[in-house]
Amino acid sequence: MSRKDAIDSLFLKKQPATDRAAIDKSAVRVRAGAISAMGSSLQEMAEGAKAAARLQDQLAAGEAVVSLDPSTIDGSPIADRLPADVDPKFEQLEASISQDGQQVPILVRPHPETAGRYQIVYGRRRLRAAVNLRREVSAIVRNLTDRELVVAQGRENLDRADLSFIEKALFALRLEDAGFDRSTIIAALSTDKADLSRYITVARGIPLTLAAQIGPASRAGRSRWVALAEGLGKPQATDAIKAVLESEQFKHSDSDTRFTLIFNAVLRPPAKAPKKVRAWSTPKGKKAAMIRQESGRTALIFDERLVPTFGEYVADQLDRLYAQFSETTGGGKLDK
């Protein structure tokens, strides 16, 4: 079993279903005071304006908004978002829809295999909110090929709220494993060949179960995910990760904090062995020497003021002392 498989097998939580609700907007770092509130409001206004413009274009093209029973809508064949256990933004979205109604429709396509059903292209959080509120969901129904679906799905997420690095990486890997060619994946992620290769390399190096438990970690960039993927090959990584996953701090933390906990556990330098220091005293009680043991080394330090020339004497006796030691321990087992 490979180390990646070993790490994958130790995780305790079941992998979340791939059709769980996606996040419409990336989490905004919370800042104190009025500046935070102003920043959030401006961002929401900007995203709302973009959504309104897209809706206007869609309606101008003759696409009607219809109301659908959420139970008739299945997930996309390719998941693009990681669920977040702690997601205050979703609670705000659900409260907004409950009070003011759904302002922006989701996009679905007719299910390619089941009549009367649909597959979602984007708008998973709005769909999830509609389910929770037990109300119909506003949707635009568009006939899309598989390629058109994943490209629209990727472009919408990049436009409304940028996918985190690991979400892009996993989305790219899922598309490749589903048989989509590189040109389609590049179009869906608006990326290039070099970045796409890096995405897929990292996604193959991070167990999906671990990524799902961490979540999107929107503040963790490419370099840290690359370092974590490489760090999983360390001998102590499996035990370190298991200890973090079982901690109460991890269970109650947001996604970015969870990433930091795992990252530090895997990549922080191993703790140095504690120093062992003891003193040697003469028969008259004078502390004339210090024996210091650290990292596989032992140092014997004499105080020349108290026992002048004694250190030199001990050094001259090393051959005799070692011969006695060898006889005592069975013939010099350590002299190899």
Side-chain angles (χ1 to χ4, degrees), residues 251-325:
K251 295 174 183 177
H252 295 95
S253 294
D254 62 24
S255 180
D256 284 296
T257 303
R258 288 183 174 190
F259 176 88
T260 300
L261 291 171
I262 294 292
F263 184 86
N264 289 340
V266 172
L267 296 176
R268 65 188 172 193
K272 293 183 179 180
K275 298 179 181 179
K276 295 181 180 179
V277 181
R278 56 193 176 97
W280 173 79
S281 300
T282 66
K284 293 183 178 181
K286 296 181 179 180
K287 292 183 179 180
M290 298 294 295
I291 301 102
R292 187 185 302 273
Q293 294 174 297
E294 179 183 8
S295 301
R297 297 175 182 272
T298 300
L300 182 57
I301 304 172
F302 293 100
D303 189 338
E304 293 285 351
R305 296 171 301 176
L306 300 177
V307 284
T309 71
F310 184 55
E312 183 177 352
Y313 173 81
V314 172
D316 291 340
Q317 299 298 316
L318 288 178
D319 289 341
R320 181 180 62 81
L321 292 172
Y322 189 77
Q324 292 178 354
F325 170 77

Side-chain angles (χ1 to χ4, degrees), residues 12-60:
L12 304 178
K13 294 182 180 179
K14 184 177 180 181
Q15 177 185 341
T18 56
D19 61 349
R20 288 185 63 179
I23 300 175
D24 278 339
K25 298 184 292 184
S26 60
V28 180
R29 180 176 297 178
V30 176
R31 302 181 299 276
I35 294 177
S36 174
M38 182 183 298
S40 299
S41 297
L42 290 175
Q43 180 184 4
E44 291 171 2
M45 289 171 62
E47 292 181 352
K50 290 180 181 179
R54 282 193 300 273
L55 176 58
Q56 185 176 4
D57 291 341
Q58 291 165 339
L59 294 177

Side-chain angles (χ1 to χ4, degrees), residues 179-223:
F180 289 94
D181 57 41
R182 287 291 176 103
S183 63
T184 298
I185 305 174
I186 289 172
L189 288 172
S190 296
T191 188
D192 56 34
K193 292 181 179 179
D195 275 344
L196 178 58
S197 295
R198 282 189 283 267
Y199 285 139
I200 292 176
T201 298
V202 172
R204 292 199 185 281
I206 302 288
L208 179 57
T209 44
L210 176 58
Q213 289 188 69
I214 293 174
S218 59
R219 294 198 296 268
R222 181 183 71 187
S223 61

Side-chain angles (χ1 to χ4, degrees), residues 34-328:
I35 294 177
S36 174
M38 182 183 298
S40 299
S41 297
L42 290 175
Q43 180 184 4
E44 291 171 2
M45 289 171 62
E47 292 181 352
K50 290 180 181 179
R54 282 193 300 273
L55 176 58
Q56 185 176 4
D57 291 341
Q58 291 165 339
L59 294 177
E63 294 183 330
V65 178
V66 298
S67 294
L68 298 176
D69 182 344
S71 66
T72 66
I73 302 174
D74 297 324
S76 167
I78 306 296
D80 58 0
R81 290 285 186 181
L82 287 172
D85 294 339
V86 180
D87 187 5
K89 289 294 183 180
F90 173 74
E91 296 174 2
Q92 295 173 10
L93 172 67
E94 185 174 313
S96 174
I97 292 177
S98 176
Q99 179 176 343
D100 303 321
Q102 180 187 341
Q103 302 300 311
V104 180
I106 68 173
L107 179 64
V108 300
R109 74 167 180 178
H111 198 291
E113 298 176 358
T114 307
R117 297 196 65 80
Y118 304 89
Q119 283 183 333
I120 191 168
V121 180
Y122 55 73
R124 288 161 185 73
R125 294 204 322 157
R126 281 163 279 170
L127 176 61
R128 178 183 164 195
V131 171
N132 291 350
L133 296 171
R134 299 182 179 180
R135 62 196 301 170
E136 292 187 330
V137 63
S138 298
I140 292 174
V141 181
R142 183 184 300 170
N143 290 310
L144 297 172
T145 65
D146 288 347
R147 184 184 189 280
E148 291 170 336
L149 182 148
V150 298
V151 170
Q153 180 178 337
R155 292 288 179 84
E156 170 71 7
N157 283 322
L158 292 172
D159 187 29
R160 285 185 58 81
D162 200 7
L163 294 170
S164 69
F165 176 82
I166 192 61
E167 287 177 316
K168 291 178 183 177
L170 292 173
F171 187 39
L173 178 60
R174 287 168 178 144
L175 290 173
E176 181 172 79
D177 288 346
F180 289 94
D181 57 41
R182 287 291 176 103
S183 63
T184 298
I185 305 174
I186 289 172
L189 288 172
S190 296
T191 188
D192 56 34
K193 292 181 179 179
D195 275 344
L196 178 58
S197 295
R198 282 189 283 267
Y199 285 139
I200 292 176
T201 298
V202 172
R204 292 199 185 281
I206 302 288
L208 179 57
T209 44
L210 176 58
Q213 289 188 69
I214 293 174
S218 59
R219 294 198 296 268
R222 181 183 71 187
S223 61
R224 300 182 75 198
W225 278 105
V226 170
L228 178 59
E230 294 173 349
L232 293 179
K234 293 184 177 181
Q236 74 274 16
T238 300
D239 292 338
I241 293 174
K242 182 177 181 180
V244 172
L245 293 178
E246 293 175 349
S247 69
E248 289 301 315
Q249 183 182 9
F250 182 88
K251 295 174 183 177
H252 295 95
S253 294
D254 62 24
S255 180
D256 284 296
T257 303
R258 288 183 174 190
F259 176 88
T260 300
L261 291 171
I262 294 292
F263 184 86
N264 289 340
V266 172
L267 296 176
R268 65 188 172 193
K272 293 183 179 180
K275 298 179 181 179
K276 295 181 180 179
V277 181
R278 56 193 176 97
W280 173 79
S281 300
T282 66
K284 293 183 178 181
K286 296 181 179 180
K287 292 183 179 180
M290 298 294 295
I291 301 102
R292 187 185 302 273
Q293 294 174 297
E294 179 183 8
S295 301
R297 297 175 182 272
T298 300
L300 182 57
I301 304 172
F302 293 100
D303 189 338
E304 293 285 351
R305 296 171 301 176
L306 300 177
V307 284
T309 71
F310 184 55
E312 183 177 352
Y313 173 81
V314 172
D316 291 340
Q317 299 298 316
L318 288 178
D319 289 341
R320 181 180 62 81
L321 292 172
Y322 189 77
Q324 292 178 354
F325 170 77
S326 296
E327 291 177 3
T328 303

